[in-house]
Amino acid sequence: MTRRHTPSFLNRLKCAALAGLVLVGFAGASASAADDPDLIFRRSTVFKLLSPNDKLATYGIDDPEIEGVACHFTVPERGGFKGWLGLAEEVSDISLACRQIGPIRFKDKLTQADDMFSKRRSMFFKKMQIVRGCDAKRNVLVYMVYSDRLIEGSPKNSTSSVPIMPWGAADQAVQKCGDYFK
């Protein structure tokens, strides 16, 4: 004897499955909280009367694999009730600036276009990524930020270069990025 499920039972099953996916998404977001960049400041761009404003937020992050390099990026953050609840899909307009902030020291061998940092920009589908590479001919580190999507990415991107230079009189042994990238 087979049992037929009622539409209300199937709706409850669908809701339970969706709730499980949401909990897994929030658990993944909180697990990466230790890797979050530092918020430098936020600035409102669009006023919303009864809900949070749209904002631009500027963050700073040190390259975890290369001492002496820091990047700052600015991302739009959606306001409104969807943004407040974390349900709004963020736009792909992201700017990037990376600079040498001390003597540059490579911690290990790296691969061209490896992720330096990534963060989700929507609940399930969009992710922002900062990748790094080496222009060995010019001894310059190159950083690129872009966002991708599960189905269709965005061509919007920003690039920043960090020439590897001596840092003060005591730092005369300038490392060559070509020696550390595969």
Side-chain angles (χ1 to χ4, degrees), residues 48-85:
K48 309 265 186 185
L49 183 61
L50 299 174
S51 61
N53 295 342
D54 289 353
K55 296 176 178 75
L56 289 173
T58 299
Y59 294 90
I61 188 167
D62 296 318
D63 189 320
E65 301 296 326
I66 304 173
E67 290 178 24
V69 176
C71 294
H72 292 87
F73 59 93
T74 300
V75 294
E77 295 179 344
R78 292 273 171 113
F81 291 111
K82 282 185 176 180
W84 182 57
L85 295 171

Side-chain angles (χ1 to χ4, degrees), residues 145-161:
V145 64
Y146 69 99
S147 67
D148 65 358
R149 222 172 152 173
L150 187 62
I151 307 291
E152 176 183 327
S154 170
K156 295 180 181 180
N157 61 75
S158 182
T159 303
S160 186
S161 301

Side-chain angles (χ1 to χ4, degrees), residues 35-156:
D35 302 328
D36 282 347
D38 302 318
L39 174 65
I40 308 301
F41 63 87
R42 281 190 175 99
R43 183 72 185 215
S44 292
T45 58
V46 176
F47 175 74
K48 309 265 186 185
L49 183 61
L50 299 174
S51 61
N53 295 342
D54 289 353
K55 296 176 178 75
L56 289 173
T58 299
Y59 294 90
I61 188 167
D62 296 318
D63 189 320
E65 301 296 326
I66 304 173
E67 290 178 24
V69 176
C71 294
H72 292 87
F73 59 93
T74 300
V75 294
E77 295 179 344
R78 292 273 171 113
F81 291 111
K82 282 185 176 180
W84 182 57
L85 295 171
L87 301 174
E89 183 170 326
E90 300 290 350
V91 295
S92 299
D93 301 327
I94 306 163
S95 64
L96 175 71
C98 299
R99 299 290 183 265
Q100 180 174 355
I101 59 169
I104 292 181
R105 301 287 177 258
F106 294 88
K107 295 180 182 177
D108 204 357
K109 295 284 185 180
L110 302 168
T111 304
Q112 286 281 34
D114 257 358
D115 280 359
M116 182 196 87
F117 174 76
S118 68
K119 182 174 178 128
R120 288 200 322 218
R121 298 281 294 151
S122 72
M123 188 175 266
F124 296 111
F125 303 112
K126 191 181 269 189
K127 182 170 60 169
M128 177 196 89
Q129 297 176 78
I130 299 175
V131 297
R132 81 170 82 72
C134 165
D135 176 350
K137 179 179 176 182
R138 295 168 184 83
N139 200 29
V140 172
L141 295 167
V142 180
Y143 293 82
M144 178 181 65
V145 64
Y146 69 99
S147 67
D148 65 358
R149 222 172 152 173
L150 187 62
I151 307 291
E152 176 183 327
S154 170
K156 295 180 181 180

Side-chain angles (χ1 to χ4, degrees), residues 11-23:
N11 286 339
R12 284 190 302 234
L13 187 62
K14 289 177 189 175
C15 287
L18 182 59
L21 284 173
V22 169
L23 288 175

